[in-house]
Amino acid sequence: MEASAGLSRIGLAGLAVMGQNLALNIAEKGFPISVYNRTTSKVDETIERAKSEGDLPLTGHYSPRDFVLSLQKPRSVIILVKAGTPVDQTISTLSEYMEEGDTIIDGGNEWYENTERRIRETEQKGILYLGMGVSGGEEGARNGPSMMPGGSLTAYKNIEEIVKKVAAQVEDGPCVTYIGEGGSGNFVKMVHNGIEYGDMQLISEAYDVLKNVGGLSNEELARIFDEWNKGELESFLVEITADIFKVKDDLSEGELVDKILDKTGMKGTGKWTVQQAAELSVAAPTIAASLDCRYLSGLKEERENAEAILKEAGMVDQVGPVRSGIDKKRLIDDVRQALYASKICSYAQGMNLLRAKSNEKGWGLDLGEMARIWKGGCIIRAVFLDRIKQAYQRNPQLASLVVDPEFAKEMVQRQAAWRRVVGLAVQAGISTPGMCASLAYFDTYRRARLPANLVQAQRDLFGAHTYERIDRPGAFHTEWTKLARQSNFK
């Protein structure tokens, strides 16, 4: 693409932390960029950073018109503002000065249906549109995120050269790919965040068991997580968890982690993931359990009251007696295996949700490629994503990661340790909802026959919903109550 003299290759509007860092990343990769923000001080701040971080080719603009007109055609503008109405307002402001064939890319965490609506709306003006999930936080944005663009393929082609250089780089390419049509990019990012919820919950449960059942200190925990990060659990979240345990509190004695209030915040993508799983009839119990835990963590006062009332009612500490007979070395190894097996189930649920939505919408998502672009730059980046990629390359029709021959072998090898950890936690009164949900998912999925026959019988008795039989075709209905009264059972 020929650069017109003095015009920028791309523009970015919205200079909060993510926007600033992504703009500087683009400039550092050699693409002249124009930036704009409604609050002018943010523009000044970004210009200053561009100067101090290597005199990067970045120019600031203080009006939407100047900003848009500073871009070479066909123009491409990334917007990074708060999801919802602010996005619509920004599109409306910028599109006044844009022309047919120009592109708008929304890099926020947006609900996928909003993106599909905006694709239709901008299309009427001849403007192309992409909804692009960006993962990796501020560090990823600055040094190489994982990016998930969906929408207009032509729009993607307009920025492909830029995003491929700006994305995190792994051995098999940049962590970006054209996801598919419509809101597919936002949907994939939403599921990524749902998997992230599951991952964080499972790690916090591993910590809880090791600390409270195993009696491990923060120093020991830091060592263990560092060790784990050198093996099969190597991942961004395990690495940062090790770092968290090492930080001393500068306001009082001990480590900072122990002084943090146990109430979790959230932005909504985990909730969307669970809602979509329900809509699509896809089981995602690990992700749902992690969401429930965030809700329960918010009930801090209720939990404190519950602890006091149940103690009064005779609840005794279960941890002490369980801990007295613990083999610490074995517990650490068991927890490692339980965490790994639970994670496979969490990723399996996320991948199945992606496949179900792709089938519904005709997106044609390549699940192996999704795993590949998550290998670098993003929050759930982990060494075993490469193995997930290979599993889908071996069999693109793979029903679940649990039945991939490689992963199946690992689940079977780790299930004894997994059951020991969950059993110990239950005995000790330590909740491990993520690990329990993963194990229940595994145990339900691997059984050829479930007690659902009884549920169907109940449904038929009270609602005449009919049932199928295992030995002949067709739908059947039985007068259960009448026949039960006539039976010889006493």
Side-chain angles (χ1 to χ4, degrees):
M1 208 172 285
E2 294 257 335
S4 313
L7 294 180
S8 293
R9 174 71 177 81
I10 192 166
L12 189 144
L15 297 172
V17 176
M18 285 290 283
Q20 274 192 32
N21 282 307
L22 190 59
L24 293 163
N25 182 354
I26 291 168
E28 193 170 63
K29 298 303 185 293
F31 301 102
I33 184 168
S34 294
V35 298
Y36 165 73
N37 196 80
R38 267 185 14 193
T39 314
T40 55
S41 60
K42 291 282 184 196
V43 179
D44 296 334
E45 206 178 292
T46 312
I47 294 168
E48 277 307 307
R49 281 190 64 188
K51 276 204 185 80
S52 67
E53 292 179 27
D55 226 357
L56 304 174
L58 178 146
T59 54
H61 299 270
Y62 299 92
S63 81
R65 185 177 178 277
D66 290 350
F67 168 64
V68 172
L69 296 182
S70 73
L71 306 174
Q72 65 184 61
K73 298 177 186 179
R75 303 180 183 97
S76 297
V77 175
I78 298 172
I79 56 177
L80 270 164
V81 297
K82 205 164 180 270
T85 314
V87 177
D88 290 308
Q89 290 166 342
T90 307
I91 292 168
S92 166
T93 304
L94 297 177
S95 61
E96 268 184 62
Y97 310 102
M98 296 178 83
E99 296 169 25
E100 203 168 320
D102 290 350
T103 295
I104 293 175
I105 305 113
D106 174 20
N109 268 339
E110 187 55 274
W111 174 236
Y112 84 99
E113 286 180 340
N114 284 343
T115 293
E116 301 198 326
R117 167 178 60 79
R118 289 172 189 141
I119 288 171
R120 292 191 296 273
E121 289 168 358
T122 54
E123 210 166 33
Q124 291 166 7
K125 300 179 181 177
I127 293 171
L128 308 174
Y129 198 86
L130 282 175
M132 181 170 75
V134 179
S135 178
E138 55 185 285
E139 193 194 320
R142 182 66 186 85
N143 301 310
S146 171
M147 291 184 278
M148 297 151 248
S152 159
L153 180 57
T154 313
Y156 176 70
K157 291 290 179 197
N158 288 344
I159 61 160
E160 184 174 28
E161 178 198 11
I162 298 174
V163 291
K164 281 188 163 177
K165 282 219 171 79
V166 163
Q169 307 292 319
V170 290
E171 75 284 350
D172 47 7
C175 292
V176 63
T177 192
Y178 174 66
I179 301 289
E181 293 177 356
S184 58
N186 294 116
F187 195 90
V188 168
K189 173 62 164 60
M190 177 198 79
V191 172
H192 160 287
N193 287 21
I195 294 170
E196 181 187 307
Y197 273 51
D199 252 2
M200 292 167 79
Q201 176 63 29
L202 292 168
I203 289 170
S204 76
E205 291 173 16
Y207 154 66
D208 199 6
V209 170
L210 291 174
K211 178 184 171 165
N212 291 303
V213 183
L216 273 68
S217 67
N218 289 328
E219 196 179 330
E220 290 172 301
L221 287 164
R223 253 203 319 275
I224 287 157
F225 275 83
D226 269 335
E227 198 56 45
W228 286 356
N229 198 44
K230 293 182 187 128
E232 63 190 13
L233 286 169
E234 185 191 323
S235 62
F236 173 69
L237 285 167
V238 167
E239 179 190 334
I240 66 168
T241 302
D243 287 344
I244 286 166
F245 293 127
K246 297 170 189 170
V247 175
K248 297 279 179 207
D249 182 13
D250 57 0
L251 299 176
S252 63
E253 289 293 301
E255 285 79 32
L256 180 57
V257 68
D258 296 325
K259 309 296 191 307
I260 295 174
L261 182 68
D262 52 323
K263 272 173 85 165
T264 314
M266 67 191 103
K267 293 276 176 70
T269 42
K271 180 180 172 181
W272 291 346
T273 307
V274 174
Q275 285 171 330
Q276 278 296 296
E279 291 272 329
L280 291 158
S281 307
V282 172
T286 312
I287 298 170
S290 66
L291 181 67
D292 288 339
C293 280
R294 292 196 182 196
Y295 293 147
L296 283 165
S297 79
L299 306 176
K300 176 67 173 170
E301 282 181 24
E302 285 185 38
R303 289 187 287 113
E304 287 173 338
N305 287 339
E307 183 177 315
I309 289 163
L310 289 163
K311 262 187 187 157
E312 189 72 23
M315 184 86 197
V316 291
D317 176 31
Q318 311 290 315
V319 175
V322 173
R323 188 192 285 175
S324 60
I326 284 293
D327 173 344
K328 266 188 12 180
K329 200 164 181 295
R330 181 175 168 180
L331 177 69
I332 292 163
D333 196 55
D334 279 356
V335 171
R336 174 184 60 78
Q337 295 185 63
L339 178 55
Y340 185 79
S342 298
K343 271 168 74 93
I344 292 172
C345 287
S346 185
Y347 281 72
Q349 292 160 30
M351 288 302 188
N352 286 357
L353 178 53
L354 287 179
R355 186 181 49 222
K357 194 67 178 183
S358 180
N359 291 343
E360 182 198 71
K361 304 285 284 185
W363 285 337
L365 294 184
D366 178 342
L367 298 182
E369 184 67 352
M370 299 306 103
R372 187 195 70 75
I373 65 168
W374 290 343
K375 280 167 56 180
C378 72
I379 304 301
I380 63 170
R381 64 181 181 266
V383 92
F384 88 152
L385 277 159
D386 197 52
R387 314 240 330 280
I388 294 177
K389 180 194 85 169
Q390 289 163 14
Y392 285 109
Q393 281 177 339
R394 277 193 293 274
N395 178 8
Q397 271 24 82
L398 184 67
S400 169
L401 289 175
V402 172
V403 292
D404 169 72
E406 297 287 311
F407 281 123
K409 217 179 296 171
E410 296 193 326
M411 302 289 277
V412 172
Q413 285 164 355
R414 285 160 180 73
Q415 58 147 355
W418 196 5
R419 293 180 198 287
R420 281 195 296 271
V421 170
V422 167
L424 258 183
V426 169
Q427 267 183 295
I430 301 278
S431 60
T432 51
M435 285 185 184
C436 286
S438 282
L439 183 56
Y441 178 79
F442 173 73
D443 280 338
T444 306
Y445 190 69
R446 70 179 176 79
R447 288 179 67 195
R449 186 153 171 87
L450 293 170
N453 54 321
L454 180 59
V455 175
Q456 277 303 85
Q458 291 167 336
R459 293 179 73 242
D460 189 51
L461 185 152
F462 66 67
H465 292 297
T466 74
Y467 56 89
E468 293 174 276
R469 293 180 59 102
I470 56 174
D471 54 356
R472 62 200 65 196
F476 297 84
H477 169 60
T478 296
E479 297 286 337
W480 296 91
T481 308
K482 193 168 111 187
L483 292 173
R485 297 286 179 272
Q486 293 167 7
S487 78
N488 295 323
F489 279 126
K490 291 287 176 271

